Amino acid sequence: MSKSTDQYAIETKCIQSGYRPTNGQPRVLPIYQSTTFKYDSSDQMGRLFDLEEEGYFYSRLQNPTNDAVAAKICDLEGGVGAMLTSSGQAANYFAVFNICEAGDHVIMSSSVYGGTFNLLTVTMKKMGVNCSVVDPDASLEEINALFRENTKCVMAETIANPALVVLDIEKFATAAHSHGVPLIVDNTFATPINCRPFEFGADIVTHSTTKYMDGHASTIGGAIVDSGNFDWLAHAEKYPGLCRPDDSYHGIVYAERFGKMAYIQKATAQLMRDLGSIQSPQNAFIINLGLETLHLRVARHCENALKVAEYLEQNEKVAWVNYPGLKSSKYHELAQKYMPNGTCGVISFGLKGGRAITSDFMDHLKLAAIVTHVADARTCVLHPASHTHRQMSDEQLIEAGVAPDLIRFSVGIENANDIIADLEQALTYIK
Ligand SMILES: *Cc1c(COP(=O)(O)O)cnc(C)c1O
C-alpha cells in the first residue's frame, strides 16, 4: 500500500517511481526478506495494530519491498493507493470481495479471462455473491437493465484475454456511476503504458503482473490500484464494509478514517490479514526489474504483433485474424480512442481447416512455444478451447468470444522476421 506523488512522464516513472533512496541508501530496491519488524516499545507496536501509526509489523499485511513496487504501479496508473497480491486471481478476488458480501450482486463482461469468469460465476457464487454476465459490446441501455438494488460493482477488462475485445470504458463507467457503483477494470493486457483506465472513468484497476509487467514469465503476481475517485460515503448504505464500523478492527470506519485511501487500507488491513495472499518480497523485486523496461518492451511487443497480424491476414491458409491494432478489426476505432499508441502483443486467429488441424499446426512451430502463458518476452502459442478454457462448454466459449478454433498467439520481442518465418514454415504443413 502506498501513495503516489510523481509528475514524471510514464517512461521515467517506470524507472524512477516507487523506491527513492536517500543519502547513503542502496541504489537498487532492497529485498526486505523479513516476516517481522522490530520495535523498541510495546506501545508503538500497539499503535501500529490500531492503524493509528503507519509502519510495518508483519509481512502478511505489508512489506517495504512490496510497497515500493506497489507505489510504482500506482504512479503508472495515476492512482492514489495500490497493493500487491500473490497473483492476478487474488487481485481480482480482493478487488471485488472488498466491497461485496453474501447476498450482493455484480455485473461482469462476458469476455473476461477464464480464471476471472470462474471466480465470479462459480466460486464467488458459492460465497453468496451473484454475477450477471454482459456482452461488452452491449448498448448502455442493455447494461443499465442488469443493475439491481444489491449490485455493488461492474467488472471488465481493457483488452480481454483472449477474446481481444477492447472495452468501451466510458460506456461501462457511465452505467456503473449512474447506479452509484464503481467500475473495476483489469488492465493486464493494455498495461498503463498503452491505457490508463482512470482517465476514462474507471475507479479501480487490477493487474496480473505475471504478464507484461514481469514480462519474463518468471513470477506470478497481482496488483490493485485505487483511483481514489469513488465516493464511498455518498453511497454509505451500499458499502457497510467501508462506511460502518469494522468489528474486527476496534470499530474503525475506513471511509471516515482514511478518506481516499479507504479502499486499499481495508483490503490490506482486513482481507490480506484474513485471507493472506501476499506477494513475496523476492517476487516483488523481480516484478520491479520487469517494470523498469515495461515501456520499451510493450512498444516492441505491439510493433511486432502488428507485423505478424498483417502477415497472417494476407496468408491464404488463415481463415481470420483478430488484432485490435489491425485496421480491419471491429475494435480498431475503440483502440484508437483508448490506446492510440498500441494495444498489446497478443493476436488471435483461426485456420481455414478449423479446429481439426490446429494442433498439427501448433506442433510444427519451432520458435513459438506451446505454453500456458501470454505476454512475455518469448513468443508463445496456446489453443484456449483445449487448454485454459477447457472447462467451458462450447456455448460459454462463444459467449466469452473464444471461438473453438481460436489460436492465441502471444508475440514476443524477438526479431519479427524470425517469428513470421516460423509461422510460415509451420503453415506449409497445413494442406
Ligand atoms: C492471467 C490473467 C489473470 C490471472 O492472473 P494470474 O497472475 O495468473 O493469477 C487475470 N486477468 C487477466 C486479464 C489475465 O491475463
Side-chain angles (χ1 to χ4, degrees):
M1 189 189 64
S2 66
K3 293 181 185 119
S4 111
T5 48
D6 275 331
Q7 297 304 318
Y8 289 126
I10 197 134
E11 295 82 1
T12 309
K13 288 181 178 187
C14 283
I15 317 280
Q16 298 283 350
S17 286
Y19 178 62
R20 307 298 293 273
T22 54
N23 190 37
Q25 286 191 328
R27 182 70 190 97
V28 173
L29 173 67
I31 305 173
Y32 287 86
Q33 196 68 42
S34 180
T35 58
T36 43
F37 300 83
K38 176 191 170 290
Y39 290 93
D40 289 338
S41 95
S42 147
D43 251 16
Q44 193 183 0
M45 181 86 110
R47 284 197 297 278
L48 292 174
F49 270 93
D50 279 352
L51 303 181
E52 274 169 9
E53 217 174 273
E54 274 189 44
Y56 298 95
F57 50 94
Y58 193 50
S59 284
R60 173 156 34 81
L61 284 94
Q62 279 183 267
N63 173 284
T65 307
N66 293 17
D67 278 1
V69 180
K72 180 177 280 187
I73 296 173
C74 189
D75 261 357
L76 293 175
E77 287 288 2
V80 298
M83 66 195 284
L84 299 188
T85 56
S86 55
S87 67
Q89 283 298 115
N92 282 328
Y93 173 45
F94 276 37
V96 174
F97 196 59
N98 202 32
I99 46 175
C100 281
E101 55 189 51
D104 286 343
H105 171 253
V106 303
I107 297 170
M108 177 180 72
S109 155
S110 58
S111 68
V112 295
Y113 173 69
T116 310
F117 192 90
N118 279 331
L119 170 69
L120 273 97
T121 61
V122 181
T123 302
M124 287 190 72
K125 192 172 178 195
K126 290 181 191 159
M127 302 166 72
V129 177
N130 279 302
C131 179
S132 295
V133 166
V134 63
D135 182 338
D137 297 335
S139 68
L140 186 57
E141 293 67 38
E142 287 168 316
I143 303 168
N144 281 338
L146 293 170
F147 284 84
R148 302 177 191 168
E149 232 1 61
N150 58 345
T151 303
K152 297 300 165 76
C153 65
V154 178
M155 169 100 205
E157 286 171 15
T158 4
I159 307 176
N161 173 11
L164 303 176
V165 170
V166 175
L167 188 73
D168 188 342
I169 304 172
E170 288 178 347
K171 177 179 72 180
F172 274 81
T174 301
H177 296 161
S178 66
H179 293 86
V181 307
L183 172 64
I184 303 176
V185 170
D186 181 331
N187 195 29
T188 298
F189 265 30
T191 83
I193 302 299
N194 285 341
C195 180
R196 289 174 296 281
F198 295 156
E199 293 171 4
F200 302 101
D203 301 283
I204 290 148
V205 156
T206 59
H207 280 281
S208 165
T209 60
T210 315
K211 313 295 164 51
Y212 291 116
M213 285 192 170
D214 168 19
H216 300 79
S218 62
T219 309
I220 302 284
I224 307 173
V225 189
D226 183 11
S227 66
N229 292 336
F230 194 81
D231 187 352
W232 307 105
L233 285 169
H235 307 281
E237 76 299 339
K238 266 197 186 140
Y239 301 104
L242 281 156
C243 303
R244 300 255 164 74
D246 177 2
D247 293 338
S248 76
Y249 240 118
H250 327 298
I252 270 187
V253 178
Y254 294 101
E256 284 172 2
R257 173 80 78 88
F258 299 106
K260 283 185 180 297
M261 292 297 290
Y263 176 88
I264 292 292
Q265 265 289 356
K266 175 179 176 286
T268 302
Q270 189 191 71
L271 297 189
M272 200 56 95
R273 177 197 63 188
D274 296 350
L275 302 171
S277 308
I278 196 72
Q279 168 101 209
S280 94
Q282 183 87 37
N283 284 356
F285 175 86
I286 293 171
I287 288 169
N288 191 52
L289 289 182
L291 288 170
E292 289 185 359
T293 57
L294 184 67
H295 55 302
L296 300 173
R297 290 183 291 100
V298 163
R300 179 59 73 89
H301 279 292
C302 294
E303 190 185 314
N304 280 359
L306 187 59
K307 287 181 187 162
V308 171
E310 282 169 349
Y311 161 77
L312 288 170
E313 199 169 41
Q314 56 73 47
N315 191 292
E316 57 178 19
K317 289 175 180 169
V318 174
W320 57 270
V321 183
N322 180 16
Y323 180 62
L326 280 177
K327 289 214 172 63
S328 61
S329 163
K330 164 181 173 191
Y331 297 105
H332 190 253
E333 208 176 307
L334 279 179
Q336 288 295 306
K337 172 176 177 179
Y338 291 110
M339 42 201 89
N341 297 329
T343 54
C344 66
V346 182
I347 290 171
S348 63
F349 65 98
L351 298 173
K352 284 200 176 138
R355 186 173 182 166
I357 58 159
T358 297
S359 296
D360 192 29
F361 161 73
M362 284 171 52
D363 290 349
H364 280 103
L365 288 166
K366 291 179 179 149
L367 185 137
I370 301 172
V371 297
T372 312
H373 200 251
V374 275
D376 75 78
R378 301 162 201 85
T379 295
C380 58
V381 63
L382 188 90
H383 181 223
S386 328
H387 306 135
T388 45
H389 289 56
R390 206 182 175 95
Q391 288 89 344
M392 289 171 117
S393 65
D394 271 7
E395 205 176 56
Q396 283 176 323
L397 281 174
I398 289 169
E399 197 185 1
V402 184
D405 68 336
L406 182 151
I407 297 168
R408 182 178 75 181
F409 196 78
S410 176
V411 181
I413 54 175
E414 302 95 342
N415 186 299
N417 293 336
D418 289 334
I419 303 168
I420 291 169
D422 189 37
L423 286 162
E424 177 102 25
Q425 65 78 27
L427 283 167
T428 62
Y429 290 93
I430 305 301
K431 295 290 169 255

